[in-house]
Amino acid sequence: MISSNDFRPGVSIELDGGVWRVVEFLHVKPGKGSAFVRTKLKNVQSGSVVERTFRAGETVPQANLEKSVMQHTYKEGEQFVFMDMETYEEAPLSASEIGDRVKYLKEGMEVNVIRWGAQVLEVELPNSVVLEVTQTDPGVKGDTATGGTKPAIVETGAQVMVPLFISIGERIKVDTRTDTYLGRE
């Protein structure tokens, strides 16, 4: 159990049969009446966001999340097979379980898999990955870093906007959270 006074961004709680993560919180102590905590909660499974108010000191069950480091070993059909780095057990995950960041997943990459019981809630990729550009318009002499951007397809199939001077075969660093180009590698 966790008290509503201990809410902080990132804290996970169990509420209404699901796992919710605290996005924002505000402890309010009005001049008249008792104090309360106004929160914004995000459902980890569906991504929906709700605002909810708790009495100060009210206790709610804290979600017991299990975080394990796993390595993507290979893809079998539509399933991505991961190996637990401690027990060496393999576990297949579908693209829907991994989420939209599957476009940056490549073989040999280590990720954090967060589970609630037997259910996979989230697969955390590194904040940035280095990928090779496989398809883009050719660079022309005179293209500069501040001139503009063009689309490029990287080795995992994701499309990233890159500066005009980037050409096929170059390795670039991409931010997986915002889908933006960070620089050459």
Side-chain angles (χ1 to χ4, degrees), residues 16 24 54 65 70 73 89 99 124 149 151:
D16 302 330
E24 294 177 8
F54 297 92
L65 302 180
M70 300 185 93
T73 51
E89 292 179 11
E124 293 179 343
T149 59

Side-chain angles (χ1 to χ4, degrees), residues 59-72:
T59 57
V60 293
Q62 187 167 9
N64 291 331
L65 302 180
E66 183 182 312
K67 187 177 199 178
S68 58
V69 177
M70 300 185 93
Q71 182 180 41
H72 172 49

